Amino acid sequence: MEIREIRLEELDTERFITEKIEEISSIVGDGLAINALSGGVDSSAVTMLGHKALGDRFKTYFIDNDLMREGEPEHIVSLFKDLGVTVELVDAKKTFFDALRGQTDPEEKREAITRSFYRDVFGELVRRTGAKYLLQGTNYTDIEETVAGIKRQHNILEQLGIDPEAMYGYKVLEPLIQLRKSAIREVARALDIPEEICNRPPFPGPALAARVIGEVTPERVRIVRNATKIVEEELSHTGAFQYLAILHEDRVTGVREGKRDYGLQIEVRCWESKDARIGSPTRLPYDVLDRLAERITTEVTGVVSVTYSITKKPPCTIEAV
Ligand code: XMP
């Protein structure tokens, strides 16, 4: 199916919202639908559209796969409670880590994450609730990246020849599929979603697993999560499109207290971009880089080397996996 992009300049936000609410409500009819909220702007906008369209016949879940930022599950649940939306936390840590065990190939890791979400977690939620529909925040860039064969985005099914109804037993609705991130931010503002969410840098669906090179284990995620926290604290003031920490697989020789320390490497990336299609590294001042290195090597156990990526997209991509 050909999808037509609605560019930010041509978007009539109010009309878009009214049309999507009517569309969701007429497709779902008097049935039930569910969605997974990650706290990003896309899934937050879908959550509000679904609730406006379906009220009590729409259930929102936060899938706690232990791949999110520190404190994120509880923070997002409480933020949406303040908006009048009940979000149920689903503990899916074991499902995801079992699927990721021993996986090192980037596309296989992405596939394991897709399977965990769609077959294992959403499949079970649909059976439990009797819902026939899953609403999700797939955007125009996700489709492009997958169709172009750059990366399999965690939320793409149809373009990879997957029929969710036949495979998992539910239909998928994607109200934001014609929009890119900048347009979705406008829709989110019009839906009264707090600025903290509307302004958030993008965060990938595979979450911190997209930033661990090699096997994704709870311990390696913990390391990249701690480094991410520091990177976000130090770089949020830059207003850059996205900033992140990556844990490398190779170790390097370091020195601590006069002794050899064969330790971990963290790579920091900070991107200037409009819509993630192309990007270039932010020209960060040297004292900012210096503080990042100092904090990461002292606060994240085992890290002896911090590097800053100076590569553009393309040929690099924004995430490492
Ligand atoms: P890349 O790494 O392909 O990322 O340059 C482009 C943008 O997409 C985000 N990203 C994802 N978003 N599901 C998503 O919803 C995914 O599987 C995924 N992978 C990457 C990434 O953070 C960047 O903003």
Coordinates of all heavy atoms in Angstrom, one line a residue, residues 110 142 145 151-155 202 204-206 241-242 276 313 317-319, ligand 1:
R110 N 17.1 -7.1 16.5 CA 15.9 -6.4 16.2 C 14.7 -7.3 16.0 O 13.6 -7.0 16.4 CB 16.1 -5.5 14.9 CG 17.0 -4.3 15.3 CD 17.2 -3.4 14.1 NE 17.7 -2.1 14.6 CZ 17.0 -1.0 14.8 NH1 15.7 -1.0 14.5 NH2 17.5 0.1 15.3
D142 N 10.0 5.5 9.9 CA 10.1 4.1 10.2 C 9.9 3.3 9.0 O 10.7 2.3 8.7 CB 9.1 3.6 11.3 CG 9.3 4.3 12.6 OD1 10.4 4.8 12.9 OD2 8.3 4.3 13.4
E145 N 12.9 3.7 6.4 CA 14.2 3.1 6.8 C 14.1 1.6 6.5 O 15.0 0.9 6.1 CB 14.5 3.3 8.3 CG 14.7 4.7 8.7 CD 16.2 5.0 9.0 OE1 16.9 4.1 9.5 OE2 16.6 6.1 8.7
K151 N 17.4 -0.4 8.2 CA 17.2 -1.2 9.5 C 15.8 -1.6 9.5 O 14.9 -0.9 9.1 CB 17.4 -0.2 10.7 CG 18.9 0.0 11.0 CD 19.0 0.9 12.2 CE 20.5 1.4 12.2 NZ 20.8 2.2 13.4
R152 N 15.6 -2.8 10.1 CA 14.3 -3.3 10.4 C 13.8 -2.5 11.6 O 14.3 -2.7 12.7 CB 14.4 -4.8 10.6 CG 13.1 -5.4 11.0 CD 13.4 -6.7 11.9 NE 12.2 -7.2 12.3 CZ 11.5 -8.2 11.7 NH1 12.1 -8.8 10.7 NH2 10.3 -8.6 12.1
Q153 N 12.8 -1.6 11.5 CA 12.3 -0.8 12.6 C 11.4 -1.8 13.4 O 10.7 -2.6 12.9 CB 11.6 0.4 12.2 CG 12.4 1.3 11.3 CD 13.5 2.1 12.1 OE1 13.2 2.9 12.9 NE2 14.7 1.8 11.9
H154 N 11.5 -1.7 14.7 CA 10.8 -2.7 15.6 C 9.3 -2.8 15.3 O 8.7 -3.8 15.6 CB 11.1 -2.3 17.1 CG 10.1 -1.2 17.6 ND1 10.2 0.1 17.2 CD2 9.1 -1.3 18.4 CE1 9.3 0.7 17.8 NE2 8.5 -0.1 18.5
N155 N 8.7 -1.7 14.8 CA 7.3 -1.7 14.7 C 6.7 -1.9 13.3 O 5.6 -1.7 13.0 CB 6.8 -0.3 15.2 CG 7.5 0.9 14.6 OD1 8.3 0.7 13.7 ND2 7.2 2.0 15.0
P202 N 14.0 11.8 20.2 CA 13.5 10.4 19.8 C 14.3 9.4 20.6 O 15.4 9.6 21.0 CB 13.9 10.3 18.3 CG 14.2 11.7 17.8 CD 14.6 12.5 19.0
P204 N 14.7 5.0 20.4 CA 14.3 3.9 19.5 C 13.4 2.9 20.2 O 13.5 2.7 21.4 CB 15.6 3.3 19.1 CG 16.5 3.6 20.2 CD 16.1 4.9 20.8
G205 N 12.5 2.3 19.4 CA 11.6 1.2 19.9 C 12.4 0.1 20.6 O 12.1 -0.4 21.7
P206 N 13.6 -0.4 20.0 CA 14.3 -1.4 20.7 C 15.1 -0.9 21.9 O 15.8 -1.6 22.6 CB 15.3 -1.9 19.6 CG 14.8 -1.4 18.3 CD 14.0 -0.2 18.6
F241 N 19.1 17.2 18.2 CA 18.0 16.3 17.8 C 18.0 15.1 18.7 O 17.0 14.6 19.1 CB 18.2 16.0 16.3 CG 17.2 15.0 15.8 CD1 15.9 15.5 15.5 CD2 17.5 13.7 15.7 CE1 15.0 14.6 15.0 CE2 16.6 12.8 15.2 CZ 15.3 13.2 14.9
Q242 N 19.2 14.5 19.0 CA 19.3 13.3 19.7 C 20.7 13.1 20.3 O 21.7 13.5 19.6 CB 19.0 12.1 18.8 CG 18.3 10.9 19.5 CD 17.8 9.9 18.5 OE1 17.5 10.2 17.3 NE2 17.6 8.7 18.9
A276 N 15.8 12.8 11.2 CA 16.6 11.5 11.3 C 17.0 10.9 10.0 O 17.7 9.9 10.0 CB 15.8 10.5 12.2
K313 N 25.5 11.1 9.2 CA 24.5 10.1 8.7 C 24.1 10.6 7.3 O 23.5 11.7 7.3 CB 23.3 9.9 9.6 CG 22.3 9.0 8.9 CD 21.0 8.7 9.7 CE 20.1 7.8 8.9 NZ 18.9 7.5 9.6
T317 N 24.6 5.6 11.0 CA 23.2 5.8 11.3 C 23.1 6.3 12.7 O 24.2 6.4 13.4 CB 22.4 4.4 11.3 OG1 23.0 3.5 12.1 CG2 22.3 3.9 9.8
I318 N 22.0 6.8 13.2 CA 21.9 7.4 14.5 C 22.2 6.5 15.6 O 23.0 6.7 16.5 CB 20.5 8.2 14.6 CG1 20.6 9.4 13.6 CG2 20.2 8.6 16.0 CD1 19.4 10.2 13.6
E319 N 21.5 5.3 15.6 CA 21.8 4.3 16.6 C 22.9 3.4 16.1 O 23.1 3.3 14.9 CB 20.5 3.5 16.8 CG 19.2 4.3 17.2 CD 19.3 5.0 18.5 OE1 20.1 4.5 19.4 OE2 18.5 5.9 18.8
Ligands
XMP1 P1 18.8 5.2 12.6 O1 19.6 4.5 13.7 O2 18.2 4.2 11.7 O3 17.6 5.9 13.4 O4 19.6 6.3 11.9 C1 16.7 6.8 12.8 C2 15.8 7.3 13.9 O5 14.9 6.2 14.2 C3 15.1 5.8 15.6 N1 15.0 4.4 15.6 C4 13.9 3.7 15.8 N2 12.7 4.1 16.1 N3 11.9 1.8 16.1 C5 11.7 3.2 16.3 O6 10.5 3.5 16.6 C6 13.1 1.4 15.8 O7 13.3 0.1 15.6 C7 14.2 2.3 15.6 N4 15.5 2.2 15.3 C8 16.0 3.5 15.3 C9 16.4 6.4 16.0 O8 16.5 6.6 17.4 C10 16.5 7.6 15.2 O9 15.8 8.7 15.8

